[in-house]
Amino acid sequence: MKKYLIIVLAFMAIACKQNNEDNHAHNPDGSHVGDEIPRLGHTIWTDNTELFVEFPALIVGNPSKFAAHFTVMDKHQPVSEGSVTVSLIKGDKGIRATVENPSSPGIFSPIIQPKEAGLHQLVFDLSTPQYIDKIVIKDVMVYANLEEANKALGNEGEDGSISFLKEQAWKIEFQTAPVIKGEIYNVISTSGVWQPAQGSVKTLVATANGTVNFTTTNLTEGTEVKQGQLLMNVSSQGLASNNLSAEIAKAKANFDQATSEYNRKKELYESKIIPKSEFEKVESNYTIAKSQYQSLASGVSGDSKQIRAPFNGFIRSVNIANGDYAEQGTVLISVATEQSKVLKSQIAPTYGLTMQNIKYIWYQTEQGNWKSISDSEGEILSISKDVERDSPLISVFAKVNDIINVPDGSLTQVQIAMGDGKQTTLVPELALLEDYGNYSVIVQLSGESFERRPISIGKRNGKNVEVFKGLQVGDVVVTTGAYQVKMASMSGSTPAHGHEH
C-alpha cells in the first residue's frame, strides 16, 4: 500500500511541476505568456489619405501586428486595392514589411519585429491604382521589454469620447474637413434669378420651304439632345414651286457656269488682256453663286433639309407641329445648354457696390449647398447704373460656368461679399449642428474617436462660417454623417476600442 501511495505522490509532483512551468512560459522579450501588451493608436491626415493605425507597443524581439486603416479622403471610402509597406527606421538603419493586399477593404495588417530599442520613425508607403502616398509617424518608441512598456504607457482608461468605427463610417455617406484659417467678409444676403447666358440658347430656323417631319416622337420641351443629333427634316418633296431639288440643281448650274467664266477671265486678267474691273465683276458673281449653292446643298438628304442639334443640351421650345408647312426663315425649335447661366441679383443702391469692391458671389445649388461663382471660373459681368422702374433696386449680373439643373427664371439664395476681408478661423457650414440657436460640431479626435463640441459662430460666407470659440485651426470636423455620430453617442452601446481585425 505504501508503495502505491509513493507512486501516486510522485506523479502528482511531476504534474504540478509541469503545470508550474507552463504558467511561467515566456515571450521572446522575457515577459510571461498571457501578459497583456499595451496598444497604441495614431491618426494622420494627408491631402489624399487618412491613416488610423492600431498596434501593440513595439518591444524588441516581439512581433507586432498592425491594423492600418486607410481611407481615401475624397468621399471617405476605404482603400480597397493596393499595397502597403511599413518601415521602422532608426538613423540610417531600419526594417520593413510589405503586404500586397488589404486583409479586408481599407485594412492592411503588416507585422514588424523590432530589433533595437529607442526612438524610431514609422513610415507607411501606400500604393494604389489611383495614387501613391507616404505617411510618417515620428518619435515612435521601441521598448527593451514589456515591463518598460507597461511602466511608460500604463493603462489608459475611457476618455468619454464617442466611438464610431471606421467600418461604420465606410458604410454611410461620411466626410470630414479640417478647420482652416481664411478670410471672412461682410456679406449682403439677397436672392437671385437664373437666366440663360449669351450663346447658351440657339434658335433653329427653316432654311428652305417644305413640310416639317420630326425624326423622333419624343421631341418635347426638356428632352436632352446631343450635338449633331438629327431633330427634324424640312421636305419639299411634291411641291410644284420652291422645290428643294430643283433649286439645288439650278444653283449648281449657275455655280458651274460662274466657275467656268471665272477661270477663263482669270487667265485673261493675269495676261493683262482684260482690265481689273471686268475681272472683279466676274469674281463677285462666282463668289455669290458658290455661296448660294453651298447654302442650299448643306445638310440636305434626298429632298429634305436636316435640322440638327448645335450642341449638347435640351429642347427649350418647339415652335411648330409635326407635319406643318414652314417657309424659309420660320422658327422651328430652340436648343439650350445648362453648361452656363447668368445669375441676376438685386440689392439696394445704398450699399454702394462697384465692380472693384465685390469680392465673391455665392449661390445655393438645388441640393441646398453653397457654391462660389469662382469655383467654375465664372465672373461678375456688370452692375446696373440705374434703379429699375418697378423697384428701387440695382441689378448685379454674374456668369456661372456650371451645370444648373433648374428652369430659367428659378430663384436661388445669394450672398455677395464686399470690401476687405479679415483673417479668422473658418469651419464648413455643413459641419454645424443646431439646437435652439446653440451650435456645435462633431470633432474627430482620432480615427475612431469623436466628441461633440459647442462653438460660437460669427459671419457666414457661402459654405464657410466664422468661429469665435471652440475650435482651432487643424481640428478635423465631420461635415457629412455628423448626425449618425451624434446618435452613436446616445445609443448607450459603445463599440470597444483596439478591436482586432
Side-chain angles (χ1 to χ4, degrees), residues 367-424:
Q367 290 82 25
N369 301 325
W370 287 100
K371 292 190 71 173
S372 171
I373 65 170
S374 60
D375 292 342
S376 59
E377 298 183 357
E379 59 180 331
I380 301 167
L381 298 175
S382 64
I383 300 174
S384 62
K385 303 299 182 183
D386 301 313
V387 298
E388 297 194 357
R389 179 179 301 176
D390 299 330
S391 61
L393 300 172
I394 63 172
S395 298
V396 179
F397 297 90
K399 186 178 181 182
V400 179
N401 297 319
D402 201 0
I403 297 177
I404 308 297
N405 292 313
V406 297
D408 293 337
S410 299
L411 296 174
T412 183
Q413 297 298 310
V414 174
Q415 291 182 7
I416 301 176
M418 57 183 295
D420 296 325
K422 69 170 183 177
Q423 289 288 322
T424 187

Side-chain angles (χ1 to χ4, degrees), residues 149-161:
N150 281 325
K151 184 178 180 180
L153 301 175
N155 293 319
E156 294 185 3
E158 290 293 330
D159 57 6
S161 62

Side-chain angles (χ1 to χ4, degrees), residues 83-289:
S83 64
V84 168
T85 296
V86 58
S87 304
L88 184 64
I89 302 170
K90 182 180 181 183
D92 57 356
K93 297 184 296 182
I95 56 175
R96 65 177 53 185
T98 299
V99 286
E100 297 296 339
N101 296 289
S103 55
S104 61
I107 302 174
F108 295 78
S109 303
I111 298 175
I112 285 284
Q113 186 171 345
K115 298 179 179 180
E116 183 180 354
L119 285 176
H120 291 67
Q121 279 190 347
L122 263 180
V123 181
F124 293 84
D125 289 293
L126 172 68
S127 178
T128 76
Q130 290 73 35
Y131 70 97
I132 60 174
D133 210 346
K134 179 186 288 290
I135 302 173
V136 179
I137 304 176
K138 298 180 179 179
D139 298 332
V140 176
M141 178 62 74
V142 175
Y143 299 95
N145 50 57
L146 179 59
E147 183 180 356
E148 282 190 9
N150 281 325
K151 184 178 180 180
L153 301 175
N155 293 319
E156 294 185 3
E158 290 293 330
D159 57 6
S161 62
I162 306 168
S163 182
F164 197 74
L165 303 184
K166 300 307 299 181
E167 291 87 339
Q168 291 175 279
W170 290 335
K171 291 178 181 178
I172 64 173
E173 290 189 10
F174 195 86
Q175 191 66 61
T176 60
V179 177
I180 62 172
K181 196 82 170 178
E183 288 187 319
I184 200 80
Y185 293 87
N186 292 321
V187 299
I188 304 167
S189 296
T190 181
S191 61
V193 60
W194 292 111
Q195 299 179 342
Q198 183 178 3
S200 64
V201 178
K202 181 76 171 179
T203 300
L204 306 177
V205 301
T207 54
N209 300 328
T211 304
V212 176
N213 298 309
F214 291 0
T215 58
T216 174
T217 57
N218 191 29
L219 200 60
T220 56
E221 293 182 9
T223 302
E224 292 188 5
V225 296
K226 299 294 184 182
Q227 182 176 5
Q229 179 180 337
L230 181 62
L231 304 178
M232 58 180 66
N233 292 313
V234 180
S235 174
S236 63
Q237 187 175 9
L239 297 179
S241 61
N242 296 321
N243 185 281
L244 183 59
S245 296
E247 289 185 3
I248 292 175
K250 181 180 178 180
K252 178 68 165 59
N254 290 337
F255 175 52
D256 290 343
Q257 183 179 359
T259 301
S260 177
E261 181 72 5
Y262 170 77
N263 291 332
R264 187 173 66 85
K265 293 291 187 179
K266 184 179 180 182
E267 291 181 2
L268 294 176
Y269 171 68
E270 290 175 348
S271 300
K272 300 182 179 181
I273 298 175
I274 61 172
K276 182 178 181 181
S277 59
E278 183 177 345
F279 172 71
E280 286 178 343
K281 182 178 179 181
V282 172
E283 185 179 37
S284 176
N285 292 337
Y286 163 76
T287 302
I288 293 171

Side-chain angles (χ1 to χ4, degrees), residues 42-52 69-76 79 122-126 128 131-137 175-178 444 474 476:
H42 292 271
T43 305
I44 306 290
W45 291 271
T46 69
D47 292 339
N48 297 317
T49 313
E50 175 199 293
L51 167 63
F52 168 59
H69 305 65
F70 286 91
T71 303
V72 181
M73 292 297 292
D74 183 26
K75 296 191 169 84
H76 209 86
V79 174
L122 263 180
V123 181
F124 293 84
D125 289 293
L126 172 68
T128 76
Y131 70 97
I132 60 174
D133 210 346
K134 179 186 288 290
I135 302 173
V136 179
I137 304 176
Q175 191 66 61
T176 60
Q444 185 177 11
V476 176

